[in-house]
Amino acid sequence: MASSHSSSPVPQSNSSDAFFKKEMDATKRFRPVQSLPDVCPKEPTGNPNNLRDSPSLVADQQRWTIYHSKVNLPAALNDPRLAKRESDFFTKTWGVDFVDTEVTPSFYLPQITKEHFALYQQEITPREKVHERCKNICTPKDTFDRTLLHTHDKSRTDLEQVPKIFMKPDFALEDSLTFNAVLPWSHFSTAGGKGNRDAASSKLLQEKLSHYLDIVEVNIAHQISLRSEAFFHAMTSQHELQDYLRKTSQAVKLLREKISKIDKVMCEGSLRVLRLSLTRNNCIKAYNKLKLMATVHQTQPTVQLLLSTSEYVGALDLIATTQEVLQQELQGIHSFRHLGSQLCELEKLIDKMMIAEFSTYARNDLNRPLEDDCQILEEERLVSLVFGLLKQRKLNFYEIYGDEMINTAKNIIKQCVVNTVSQIEEIDTEVVVKLADQMRMMNFPQWFDLLKNIFSKFTIFLKRIKATLNTIRSVVFLVLDKNQKTRDLEDTLQKNSAKESTVDSEVAYLTHEGMFISDAFGDGELPAGAADTASQRNTSPNSEPCSSDSVSEPECTTDSSSSKEHTSSSVTPGGVEMMISDDMKLTDLELVRLANNIQELLYNASDICHDRSVKFLMARAKDGFLEKLNSNEFVTLSRLMEGFILDTEQICGRKSMSLRGALQSQANRFVNRFHEERKTKLSLLLDNERWKQAEVPAEFQDLVDSVSDGRISLPEKKPTATEERKPAEFLIVEGQKYATVGTVLLLIRIILEYCQCVDNIPSITTDMLTRLSDLLKYFNSRSCQLVLGAGALQVVGLKTITTKNLALSSRCLQLIVHYIPIIRAHFEARLQPKQFSMLRHFDHITKDYHDHIAEISAKLVAIMDSLFDKLLSKYEVKAPVPSACFRNICKQMAKMHEAIYDLLPEEQTQMLFLRINASYKLHLKRQLAHLNVVNDGGPLNGLVTSDVAFYTGNLQALKGLNNLDLNMAEIWEQKR
C-alpha cells in the first residue's frame, strides 16, 4: 500500500509548536485530507488533490472511467415499492405489516403519572445544576483538538454529526439504556402518537436518523472509491503469479527426481546397514532384558530358599536389588506390575520373621543351663539376625532381649528355690504350697547356701549377657566403621574427579588445536588421571556394539544399579566373617545411640539381678529373720552380698545401688539391734556391779594383748589353753597394771566387737562410730551416777561408797581412756576424708572421761579434807606428844594409802597424797593461827613441831611416799 495515499485525521505541522503560533493561511498550514490506509499491495497513484471527499457531478461529467461506475447506496437501500416514506420509525423498521393498536391497560400494574416522579425531580434538580456548573468550569481536554478537526476536516465534521452512541462497539438496541437514548420517550405520548405534535416529533426523529444514515453511507462510498485502483491492480497481477507458480512446480518436480536417484545410488545401502546394525543392537538389548526378566522372575523362589536357611541379609539384599531393577530397568513391564507390591509384602514378612527369630534366639540363649560356659549361642545366626534388623532399621530389637532378661531372672530364682526345697526333707511341699513360705522355713545355713547358689547363677547369667551384647555392639561398630570408610572413599573420589576434569579440559584443548597427547606430554609426564581416563575410554563397553559371540557372556547382560553397590568383608570378635553392603542407610548418630542403648541394656541386666535379689531378701526378711542373725551370720551374709556386688560391677562396669541399698538397710537394722543388745547388756552389768576388783581371766588378757600396734582384732578361741591358765589379779596393758571390775572387761570386749564389725562390714562404719560413741558416753554417765552419785547404794545395795570403790572406778576409766586413741585411729582408717569430722566424738568422750577422773580424785581429796577439818578443829597444843589428834590423822592416812596403793599407779598415788597434804597444811595453819601459836621457839612451838615431825615420819614411811616433798614449813608462814 502506497504511503502517499494514507490519510491522518489530525492536522500536522512542520514544527512541534505549530499549535501555539498565530493563524496562517490554511493552504500552508494543513496537509490535504488523504484516504485511509488499505491492505492491498498496490494502489493507484495520482495527485492527492484530485481526491475529493464526495462525488461531484460538475467536476466529473467531462471524463468518465470505470471508476465512476458507482450506485448511490441510499438509493439502492431505499425500497422503491413504497409509494411514500413511512410515517414513523416503527413502520420503516418493522415493515408495513406493523399496525398501531391500542394496548389494554393491565389490571395488575398501577397507573404511573408524572406526579410519581415529582419527589425525585425535586431531589435531583439541585444536583443537576451543580453538575452543569462544574462542567462549565472544567472544560474537556480534547476541546482544542476537536475544534481543529471540526474546522479542517470536512468528512470528520460530517461524521461528528452522528451521535457517539452509534459508534460504540457494544451498540445494541436490546439494551434498555441504549434504546432510550436513541428513541427518547418524550417524543411519544401515552396515547400512541395521535396528536399533531407527537406526529411531527416522530417524523423529525425519523428524518434525523435518515440523515445520520446518509452521512455514513456517503463516507463508506468515498472510502470504497479510494481503494478501487488497488483492487483492479491485484486482479491484473493474479495471472503473473499463476505463471510463477507453474514454473516453480516444474522445478520442484525435477529436483525431486534427482534426489530420488541420488538416494537409490548413494544412501539406501548405507542406511540399510545402519538400520540392520541398530536392529541387531535392539535385539541384543531385548535378549538381555529377557534374561534380566528371567532372573527377576526367579526372585521369589530364591528368597524362599534363603529364608529356609535363615539368610535374612541375603534375602533382603536380593529384594532390594530386584526392587531397584524393577524401578529403573524393568519399569512399565506389564507382567511385573504386581511383583513390586509382592516383594514389599515379602519384606514385611521377613521383618516379622526376623523379630520372631531374634525373640526365639534370646529365649534360647538366656534359658539354657547355667554352667560355667559363657560361650555365645550360634554366633553366626546372631550376627546374621543383627545385620538384617539393622538393614531394616529395626533399632528397638534390643528391647526384646531386655524383656527376656527380666523373665529369665525370675525363672532363675524360682528354679533355685525349687531345687533347694526339694532337697530339704523337713519341708513338706504338699502342706506348704507357696515357694515364699517354703523358703521361710529354711534355717540360716540352708537359706545362705540358696542365696549363694542364686548369686553364682546370676554371675554366669550376666557373663553370658555381656558376651552376647558385646557381639551385637561389635556388629553395630562394624557398620559404623563401614560408613566412615565409605565417606572417606567418596571424598577421595570427588578429589580425583576434580583432577580428571582438569586433565580432560587440557586434553580437549590439545585435540582441538590438532595436537596429539604424546606430542604435548613427554614419556612419563602424562598425569595419572589422564592415563586412567584414556584407558577407560579405550575399554568403554559403549565404544563398539557387542559382537554376536558375546551375547551369551555375563558381561554383556544388562547391569542393574545394584551391581554397582560395593560390599566389604568384616570379621566379628567371634571370628564370624560377614559381608556388609553399602545400602544400610543408618546415620552415625543412630548407630552410636544404638550402641549406647545396648551398653545400657547390660547395665539394666545388672540392675535386674540386683532387684530380683533384693526381692528375694525382702521375702525372707518379712518375719524379722535377718534382724535376728548374730554378728557372725550377718557378717557372712554381708560378705557374700558384697562379693556379688563387686562381681557384677566388674562384669557390667557400673555400680547398681538397689542391692547395696538393701544391704545398707539391713546393716542399719543390724547395727541398731547390735547396739541395743550391747547397751542393754552393759546396763545390766552396771546395775549389778559392786565395784570390787575382779580377777582377769586369761582370755581377756589375750584379748588385750591382741590389740597391738594400734591394730584391733579379736583372737581365736583356744579352749584347751584357757582351761590351764589361771585368772590374774591385774590386767596388764603395755606393761601397766590395771585393776578393773568385770563390767569394764566385758566393755572392752564389746568395744572390740564394734571395731571388728566395722572391719567386716565397711558400709556401717559411720553408724558404728555413732553407736560406739553413745555406748562410751553411756558407760561414763552411768558409772558416774553409780559411784560418784552413790547410785550403787540403792541399785546394788552397797552400804557406802569407799575410797577403794572410787579409786577402782578411776582406774577403770583410765583403762577406757587408754583405748580411745586406738579406737579413733581404727575408725579414721576406714572413714572417707569428708567424714573425718565425726571423729570429734572421740575428743569429746576423752574430755568427759578426764573430767570424770578428775572429779573422782577431787572426791578422794574432799574425803580427807573433811576429816582434817573435823580432827584439827579440836586440836590443842599440849602434852603428851604426839597428840591423839595427830595419831588419828596418821591412822586415817595409812588406811587411805592401803586402799588406793594397789589400785592406782605410784605417780597418781603421790600426786593424790600431795593434794591431801596441802589440804592438811591448810587446816593446820588455820588452827595454829586460831590458837595464836607462832614459830618463836617457845614451848607451844616445840609441841607443834613434835606433832608435825610425827606426822611427817608416818606419812613418808608409807610405801612409795618416802621421797615425797611435804614442805611442812609452810604452816608457819604468815599472810602478807
Side-chain angles (χ1 to χ4, degrees), residues 446-616:
Q446 295 171 345
W447 181 81
F448 182 79
D449 293 339
L450 173 60
L451 182 62
K452 187 176 181 180
N453 185 27
I454 291 174
F455 284 164
S456 63
K457 298 293 185 183
F458 274 156
T459 302
I460 300 173
F461 176 67
L462 289 176
K463 289 180 180 179
R464 285 185 179 177
I465 292 175
K466 182 179 181 180
T468 302
L469 294 182
N470 284 341
T471 301
I472 297 175
R473 290 184 79 233
S474 66
V475 174
V476 176
F477 285 132
L478 284 177
V479 177
L480 183 63
D481 183 62
K482 177 60 181 176
N483 289 350
Q484 183 64 36
K485 290 181 180 179
T486 303
R487 284 196 302 272
D488 295 341
L489 181 60
E490 290 176 355
D491 295 339
T492 305
L493 291 176
Q494 288 179 357
K495 293 179 181 178
N496 293 336
S497 63
K499 295 180 180 178
E500 290 177 1
S501 62
T502 304
V503 174
D504 288 341
S505 62
E506 295 176 357
V507 172
Y509 171 74
L510 294 175
T511 305
H512 177 69
E513 294 295 328
M515 300 175 62
F516 292 102
I517 298 178
S518 58
D519 297 335
F521 300 98
D523 294 338
E525 296 179 357
L526 185 64
D532 295 341
T533 305
S535 63
Q536 291 176 3
R537 289 168 181 167
N538 294 333
T539 59
S540 176
N542 297 326
S543 60
E544 293 181 1
C546 297
S547 62
S548 59
D549 298 335
S550 63
V551 174
S552 60
E553 296 298 326
E555 59 267 21
C556 290
T557 60
T558 304
D559 294 333
S560 64
S561 60
S562 61
S563 63
K564 301 177 183 178
E565 294 179 358
H566 300 283
T567 58
S568 62
S569 176
S570 301
V571 181
T572 61
V576 180
E577 185 174 357
M578 292 296 298
M579 301 299 294
I580 306 176
S581 60
D582 290 341
D583 60 345
M584 287 191 180
K585 304 302 181 182
L586 294 174
T587 62
D588 292 351
L589 180 61
E590 291 175 336
L591 292 172
V592 170
R593 186 183 296 115
L594 178 59
N596 294 335
N597 290 336
I598 294 173
Q599 183 63 34
E600 190 69 24
L601 188 61
L602 180 60
Y603 300 152
N604 293 341
S606 176
D607 294 339
I608 290 170
C609 293
H610 282 227
D611 293 341
R612 303 312 304 179
S613 300
V614 169
K615 291 184 178 180
F616 179 78

Side-chain angles (χ1 to χ4, degrees), residues 196-229:
N196 296 330
R197 183 180 178 182
D198 292 337
S201 297
S202 61
K203 289 181 179 181
L204 179 62
L205 176 61
Q206 182 177 358
E207 292 294 335
K208 185 184 295 185
L209 294 176
S210 299
H211 178 66
Y212 293 159
L213 179 60
D214 294 339
I215 292 174
V216 173
E217 289 174 349
V218 169
N219 279 275
I220 291 175
H222 178 66
Q223 293 298 326
I224 292 175
S225 65
L226 293 178
R227 303 301 188 275
S228 60
E229 184 178 356

Side-chain angles (χ1 to χ4, degrees), residues 522-726:
D523 294 338
E525 296 179 357
L526 185 64
D532 295 341
T533 305
S535 63
Q536 291 176 3
R537 289 168 181 167
N538 294 333
T539 59
S540 176
N542 297 326
S543 60
E544 293 181 1
C546 297
S547 62
S548 59
D549 298 335
S550 63
V551 174
S552 60
E553 296 298 326
E555 59 267 21
C556 290
T557 60
T558 304
D559 294 333
S560 64
S561 60
S562 61
S563 63
K564 301 177 183 178
E565 294 179 358
H566 300 283
T567 58
S568 62
S569 176
S570 301
V571 181
T572 61
V576 180
E577 185 174 357
M578 292 296 298
M579 301 299 294
I580 306 176
S581 60
D582 290 341
D583 60 345
M584 287 191 180
K585 304 302 181 182
L586 294 174
T587 62
D588 292 351
L589 180 61
E590 291 175 336
L591 292 172
V592 170
R593 186 183 296 115
L594 178 59
N596 294 335
N597 290 336
I598 294 173
Q599 183 63 34
E600 190 69 24
L601 188 61
L602 180 60
Y603 300 152
N604 293 341
S606 176
D607 294 339
I608 290 170
C609 293
H610 282 227
D611 293 341
R612 303 312 304 179
S613 300
V614 169
K615 291 184 178 180
F616 179 78
L617 289 174
M618 294 299 102
R620 189 65 182 91
K622 281 186 177 181
D623 54 354
F625 173 77
L626 298 179
E627 298 178 4
K628 298 176 183 178
L629 299 179
N630 56 37
S631 300
N632 294 331
E633 292 175 345
F634 189 83
V635 168
T636 305
L637 175 62
S638 176
R639 288 179 177 176
L640 177 63
M641 296 174 66
E642 286 287 349
F644 175 69
I645 292 172
L646 293 177
D647 290 340
T648 55
E649 290 177 0
Q650 184 178 3
I651 294 172
C652 301
R654 191 179 73 172
K655 294 182 178 180
S656 296
M657 303 307 298
S658 58
L659 186 58
R660 192 183 296 274
L663 176 60
Q664 184 66 36
S665 177
Q666 294 298 326
N668 293 336
R669 296 178 184 177
F670 168 76
V671 168
N672 292 333
R673 183 183 57 82
F674 181 88
H675 177 65
E676 292 299 329
E677 289 179 354
R678 268 72 182 166
K679 189 173 181 180
T680 303
K681 182 178 180 180
L682 179 61
S683 177
L684 293 175
L685 291 173
L686 288 173
D687 290 343
N688 295 299
E689 181 60 56
R690 303 189 66 85
W691 298 100
K692 292 182 179 180
Q693 184 178 358
E695 294 181 347
V696 181
E699 59 176 342
F700 285 97
Q701 184 63 51
D702 295 338
L703 183 67
V704 172
D705 295 339
S706 65
V707 183
S708 59
D709 299 331
R711 298 178 181 177
I712 299 177
S713 61
L714 293 174
E716 297 181 358
K717 294 183 178 181
K718 298 179 180 179
T720 305
T722 305
E723 292 177 358
E724 295 177 355
R725 297 169 60 186
K726 295 182 179 180

Side-chain angles (χ1 to χ4, degrees), residues 690-693 741 787 798 800-811 856 860 899-900 903:
R690 303 189 66 85
W691 298 100
K692 292 182 179 180
Q693 184 178 358
V741 296
V787 180
L798 296 179
T800 183
I801 301 298
T802 62
T803 55
K804 192 169 186 178
N805 298 138
L806 293 172
L808 186 60
S809 175
S810 176
R811 193 58 174 164
I856 292 176
L860 292 173
I900 68 174
L903 301 178

